[in-house]
Amino acid sequence: MTGIHVAVIMDGNGRWATARSRPREWGHRRGAEAVRRIVTAAPDLGIRTLTLYAFSSDNWQRPATEVSVLMRLFSRYLRSEAAELKESGVRLQVVGRRDRLAPGLVRDVERAERETVGGERLLLRLAVDYSSRDLLLRAVQAAAGASDLERQDMASLLGRAMHGEGPAPDVDLLIRTGGERRLSDFLLWECAYAELLFTPVMWPDYSAEHLADAIRDFRSRDRRFGNVAAAS
Ligand code: IPE
Ligand code: IPE
Ligand code: MG
């Protein structure tokens, strides 16, 4: 099945909550609801692969209470959504490091991945303890001594380093919510020719309509990949 790969930097949970005089953790809880909306809407918009940045390796620096709320939210999401994801033909994968996650969370990850393995409508990749630079380093280490490395080999090495299914897929559209215009160590290799879309909408407010608008915008762009525009 063809379809595009959309990656989302789900940013703005904390500021969204702070603006409402609530603790940042409340924003993360509401952010999890936005994840459900977006995952439901994605397949009908022609999205085949959806990679969501949920927790960066640098996010470990945050206060312990915020980190533990986020970890609990991941576990809860995996436990409560796996059956529903399976039902809707979504295959879930968690990409990133696993050795720093609590054993219980790793078990939840593995269980959800096993349960949804047959899903063919959408590949949902949740990036947790993810650092693109660290993955590139690990891929390079794994390739040490290899000569004649091709781009595809690098994608395969990256895919393996992040526990992904097959080679790391190129991103077609990268969306960042929350108003910042940076990549924050996300999918650096895979975004080589990604279309970039930055929106001020905070992640807890992100809706299926916002995603539909983003896809419309993406479809109107002329992707040249270094070539000249196709004659019309
Ligand atoms: C994104 O929202 C979620 C994570 C990084 C886990 P933030 O928590 O970064 O929210 P802001 O950017 O501080 O508003
Ligand atoms: C990137 O957001 C990570 C996630 C959305 C999970 P951050 O909020 O951590 O990024 P910076 O600190 O603004 O670059
Ligand atoms: Mg942020």
Side-chain angles (χ1 to χ4, degrees):
M1 191 179 130
T2 57
I4 59 172
H5 178 191
V6 173
V8 186
I9 302 176
M10 309 184 289
D11 198 23
N13 292 350
R15 279 166 289 157
W16 185 89
T18 304
R20 286 158 183 78
S21 310
R22 298 287 199 114
R24 294 175 54 83
E25 289 74 12
W26 190 63
H28 295 313
R29 284 195 194 92
R30 298 296 292 266
E33 291 165 25
V35 170
R36 289 186 191 100
R37 292 196 292 273
I38 268 39
V39 169
T40 306
D44 292 337
L45 293 169
I47 299 172
R48 170 74 181 99
T49 304
L50 180 65
T51 305
L52 302 179
Y53 205 2
F55 190 86
S56 77
S57 296
D58 287 323
N59 289 149
W60 289 114
Q61 300 169 64
R62 294 188 178 198
T65 46
E66 179 167 347
V67 170
S68 85
V69 164
L70 283 164
M71 294 298 149
R72 257 182 292 152
L73 271 176
F74 299 144
S75 268
R76 194 186 308 160
Y77 179 83
L78 295 168
R79 283 158 183 249
S80 67
E81 299 302 301
E84 166 89 31
L85 293 173
K86 180 181 178 188
E87 188 81 1
S88 18
V90 179
R91 178 174 189 179
L92 179 111
Q93 269 175 6
V94 174
V95 295
R97 278 179 73 159
R98 293 195 183 179
D99 57 310
R100 298 189 289 199
L101 304 181
L105 176 54
V106 175
R107 275 195 297 277
D108 291 335
V109 167
E110 290 169 350
R111 196 178 306 124
E113 287 182 335
R114 251 194 330 269
E115 207 173 323
T116 61
V117 76
E120 291 191 343
R121 264 185 99 217
L122 176 73
L123 175 62
L124 170 62
R125 308 191 324 152
L126 216 54
V128 178
D129 196 357
Y130 180 96
S131 157
S132 195
R133 284 182 157 185
D134 285 353
L135 287 168
L136 285 162
L137 283 174
R138 270 194 282 152
V140 167
Q141 276 162 5
S147 56
D148 300 332
L149 263 193
E150 307 271 346
R151 288 177 180 178
Q152 200 47 35
D153 299 324
M154 189 64 184
S156 298
L157 289 162
L158 263 180
R160 227 169 293 146
M162 74 175 86
H163 299 276
E165 168 74 9
D170 280 352
V171 172
D172 295 300
L173 171 65
L174 176 91
I175 300 169
R176 181 171 188 145
T177 64
E180 311 292 2
R181 296 165 186 227
R182 53 179 173 253
L183 296 178
S184 301
D185 202 7
F186 194 41
L187 301 167
L188 302 180
W189 173 276
E190 296 92 321
C191 281
Y193 273 101
E195 295 296 325
L196 308 178
L197 193 151
F198 300 102
T199 167
V201 176
M202 297 288 155
W203 178 250
D205 285 333
Y206 204 72
S207 67
E209 288 71 38
H210 289 121
L211 184 63
D213 286 347
I215 299 299
R216 251 192 303 279
D217 182 328
F218 168 78
R219 302 245 181 245
S220 75
R221 298 191 190 188
D222 183 19
R223 303 184 79 196
R224 295 188 289 279
F225 298 96
N227 205 333
V228 291
S232 56

